[in-house]
Amino acid sequence: MGKKLAKLSDQIRTAIDAAPVSRYRIAKETEIAEANLSRFMAGKSGLSMKALDRLGEYLGLEIVVKGKPKGSGK
């Protein structure tokens, strides 16, 4: 078996931790409540798609698909 990829939520947490700005600033500039971002970072809750979209845009994230999805038949 190949190397297991990290969950998308874990990859987003890593990007937030690696950002050159504080979590406080990320929360303020993305209009995500600090408490919600804190719970997400602790793995205690998720974020809405709207919040994830704002985070992705703010952090300059993009999704890269590697290989073919299982069961694609192609």
Side-chain angles (χ1 to χ4, degrees), residues 20-64:
V21 296
S22 68
R23 288 186 193 173
Y24 172 83
R25 185 167 175 187
I26 292 171
K28 291 299 179 192
E29 293 190 17
T30 58
E31 299 179 350
I32 298 170
E34 290 177 76
N36 290 348
L37 186 59
S38 180
R39 283 191 292 272
F40 172 74
M41 293 301 291
K44 296 185 180 197
S45 71
L47 291 172
S48 70
M49 288 301 297
K50 187 175 182 179
L52 291 170
D53 284 344
R54 288 192 305 248
L55 275 173
E57 185 174 334
Y58 180 80
L59 296 168
L61 302 178
E62 63 181 41
I63 293 176
V64 177

